[in-house]
Amino acid sequence: MFAEKVIELLKESERNPDTIDPFKDEKIRQILEEMQTLFIMNMNDANATTENKSLWTTVQVRHSALERNKRCLLAYLYSRMEKIKTLRWEFGSVLPPDVRELLSDDEYEWFSRYSTNLASYMRSLGQDIGYSGIDLTENLRPPKALYMEVVCTTDYGKLELSDGDVVMLRRNSRHFLPAAECQTLVRQGVLKQIV
Amino acid sequence: MESLSNVDVSDEEEEITADIVLKTLQTAWQNECLAPEILPHNNDMVECMLGQIQHMERNINKLPKTDIRASIHKMELSRIKFIICNYLRTRLNKIEKYCISILNDERQRMETGTNYLTVGEFKYAQEYLLNMETHLKNVVLDKMPGNMKTLEMNKMAVYPNLQTHVFLKANSTISGVVLEDLVGDQDEEIDLEEGSQHILQYKPIADLVKNGKVQLV
């Protein structure tokens, strides 16, 4: 069957809509190979159609299979890009190594470009009035309270707050910190909020 | 720009105008969150508010840490910051999603000087599309056979659904809003009274949202 592999590919990635799978290099190579074969067969038959009109339908079917493969491959990449985008918002510009492994080299390249582009946009915000930019990845949730109680999950080291105080974050230590300043650490998993 | 200069006029007026700026910003945020397509930017308001935040932060820092006024003001500030961030983020999400169609429309709008995006957003959108194109080309398109190599932008483009229905409230009395009848040819005309609320299709009232005559709720 034509375009069977590409459907498999899409179904697999659809099964885990919230997580990102390893990039399926091998499968994509096979799909591209199938396209190449279809294309060559089509070329041969298309040259022959001038004498034999009955081949025309075959050519048409193969062509739509080619179109379908292309469309599905693009959809696969696009949906992965969407997922990688959420990674940027969750982890910031540096990915944890276990997540990094799931991306292909090209995707990682795209991620860094996306990240740079986003960063330069955020830096440009409010530049006219002497602002040094706003970090849009902060304040993801509506603020409930100024301070929150957190427990530290790893030996993180010193954290300097904007008012100059320095807090030592040790494993299992509890702190009462300004919510705005520890949100990033909470998302990175260094701190955990106690509710 | 008007409000910006107003704020600087005198300290007494400042509080009233800052309030109006915040209200405008809130409405803009609300509209942006609820409208299916991207709306004209409100950069003046955002920058004005940012200036205010900076100003207030400086004032708060003068207060002793334990002062209750400081924490109340800080809380208020973090709420305002959230609104600004969320507003800009919603816009970015729309820009990313409808990138191709927004860029096409924007190029036409730029000729008439009625652009919806700020300079920064426009740059971001162009860069975003370019990155996406390069990525798709590098990974699959370049390895495809002969005539399949091109990226057909029109086929990739995602368009906002303007036919969706929205809740709205009229800020002033508007008469003669034409609701198109898609099936038959019986167009309907309705009047919106000031303060009344309706559920309507977005498309006929899109212009009213943009010029502030109605507000999405």
Side-chain angles (χ1 to χ4, degrees):
Chain A
M1 262 296 277
F2 295 149
E4 212 167 40
K5 287 215 169 59
V6 85
I7 297 298
E8 254 171 59
L9 182 77
L10 286 184
K11 277 200 174 146
E12 266 172 50
S13 82
E14 206 183 29
R15 245 171 252 147
N16 322 316
D18 305 319
T19 52
I20 191 157
D21 297 334
F23 188 72
K24 302 223 167 43
D25 250 340
E26 182 52 31
K27 205 153 237 168
I28 287 179
R29 209 185 47 79
Q30 287 173 357
I31 295 163
L32 287 169
E33 229 161 61
E34 182 193 309
M35 289 181 76
Q36 208 66 256
T37 340
L38 281 174
F39 184 72
I40 290 166
M41 284 160 84
N42 248 6
M43 284 287 277
N44 293 339
D45 283 357
N47 291 337
T49 40
T50 32
E51 298 108 57
N52 190 353
K53 284 272 184 273
S54 63
L55 282 173
W56 189 237
T57 339
T58 327
V59 172
Q60 289 262 302
V61 170
R62 283 198 202 114
H63 186 74
S64 40
L66 278 168
E67 292 267 347
R68 189 180 177 77
N69 269 334
K70 177 181 173 183
R71 188 78 190 87
C72 293
L73 274 181
L74 291 182
Y76 174 71
L77 290 181
Y78 187 77
S79 77
R80 281 183 69 91
M81 277 196 264
E82 290 286 315
K83 286 179 190 169
I84 298 171
K85 268 186 333 201
T86 52
L87 294 180
R88 170 65 181 83
W89 291 89
E90 274 168 37
F91 294 109
S93 53
V94 184
L95 287 180
D98 55 326
V99 180
R100 160 76 181 90
E101 271 172 27
L102 299 174
L103 308 184
S104 72
D105 289 344
D106 280 315
E107 278 176 319
Y108 189 68
E109 167 85 19
W110 184 80
F111 170 81
S112 353
R113 283 194 195 176
Y114 176 74
S115 180
T116 333
N117 191 23
L118 186 67
S120 62
Y121 170 69
M122 292 195 295
R123 261 201 311 279
S124 75
L125 288 172
Q127 220 168 32
D128 302 344
I129 53 162
Y131 237 63
S132 52
I134 317 166
D135 188 359
L136 293 180
T137 59
E138 275 177 18
N139 305 317
L140 280 180
R141 262 176 224 110
K144 286 268 188 291
L146 271 185
Y147 290 87
M148 58 193 222
E149 207 179 344
V150 287
V151 64
C152 198
T153 52
T154 44
D155 280 312
Y156 182 75
K158 281 178 188 165
L159 172 73
E160 195 176 329
L161 302 179
S162 61
D163 54 6
D165 288 354
V166 177
V167 190
M168 192 66 192
L169 297 179
R170 279 204 196 82
R171 199 179 150 79
N172 288 332
S173 61
R174 288 184 168 216
H175 305 273
F176 195 57
L177 296 174
E181 303 197 34
C182 51
Q183 257 176 8
T184 325
L185 290 176
V186 172
R187 260 185 289 134
Q188 286 171 359
V190 178
L191 298 173
K192 223 165 98 184
Q193 187 173 7
I194 307 171
V195 202
Chain B
M1 280 319 263
E2 265 177 33
S3 49
L4 251 180
S5 48
N6 271 347
V7 170
D8 294 330
V9 178
S10 78
D11 276 353
E12 268 172 51
E13 267 181 22
E14 201 173 73
E15 283 211 350
I16 314 163
T17 26
D19 200 40
I20 294 171
V21 173
L22 180 59
K23 283 228 172 70
T24 329
L25 207 58
Q26 267 171 337
T27 328
W29 172 50
Q30 220 175 341
N31 283 343
E32 194 68 68
C33 285
L34 294 165
E37 62 166 347
I38 193 134
L39 300 174
H41 69 83
N42 250 307
N43 203 26
D44 296 344
M45 289 294 151
V46 172
E47 288 196 346
C48 181
M49 206 63 232
L50 287 178
Q52 285 291 310
I53 291 178
Q54 221 173 17
H55 184 69
M56 272 176 76
E57 264 171 356
R58 246 180 264 134
N59 281 348
I60 291 172
N61 282 339
K62 282 180 207 152
L63 291 170
K65 249 192 203 171
T66 46
D67 198 324
I68 182 141
R69 284 177 297 171
S71 15
I72 292 173
H73 278 303
K74 261 193 198 161
M75 194 61 214
E76 192 55 33
L77 275 188
S78 57
R79 288 195 182 115
I80 298 173
K81 271 190 201 158
F82 171 75
I83 292 180
I84 294 180
C85 282
N86 199 281
Y87 172 66
L88 294 174
R89 216 163 32 228
T90 318
R91 287 181 66 84
L92 271 196
N93 281 342
K94 280 188 193 171
I95 292 173
E96 284 174 1
K97 192 165 178 200
Y98 309 125
C99 196
I100 298 169
S101 57
I102 284 181
L103 276 175
N104 283 342
D105 293 346
E106 188 69 10
R107 281 197 196 103
Q108 285 174 5
R109 281 192 289 254
M110 272 168 118
E111 282 168 19
T112 51
T114 49
N115 44 328
Y116 285 3
L117 306 187
T118 64
V119 185
E121 282 169 339
F122 187 65
K123 223 177 97 194
Y124 180 80
Q126 277 179 319
E127 190 72 27
Y128 177 79
L129 187 62
L130 190 73
N131 283 344
M132 192 163 83
E133 221 183 310
T134 350
H135 179 64
L136 293 177
K137 277 209 174 113
N138 284 346
V139 182
V140 290
L141 285 175
D142 280 353
K143 292 169 195 153
M144 281 185 190
N147 56 357
M148 310 301 270
K149 277 189 173 123
T150 47
L151 175 66
E152 290 141 302
M153 288 285 185
N154 295 336
K155 279 193 188 168
M156 286 281 292
V158 187
Y159 295 97
N161 177 14
L162 300 180
Q163 257 83 45
T164 183
H165 286 75
V166 288
F167 289 86
L168 61 106
K169 191 178 153 196
N171 289 335
S172 56
T173 310
I174 308 145
S175 50
V177 179
V178 182
L179 303 180
E180 266 176 63
D181 190 357
L182 288 177
V183 201
D185 43 14
Q186 290 257 303
D187 286 358
E188 201 184 331
E189 235 182 68
I190 53 157
D191 299 337
L192 306 178
E193 253 174 65
E194 188 179 340
S196 59
Q197 298 193 10
H198 308 263
I199 306 176
L200 290 176
Q201 216 176 52
Y202 177 75
K203 206 176 172 191
I205 53 120
D207 285 332
L208 298 173
V209 174
K210 283 167 198 164
N211 60 27
K213 283 192 175 147
V214 300
Q215 183 191 332
L216 302 182
V217 285

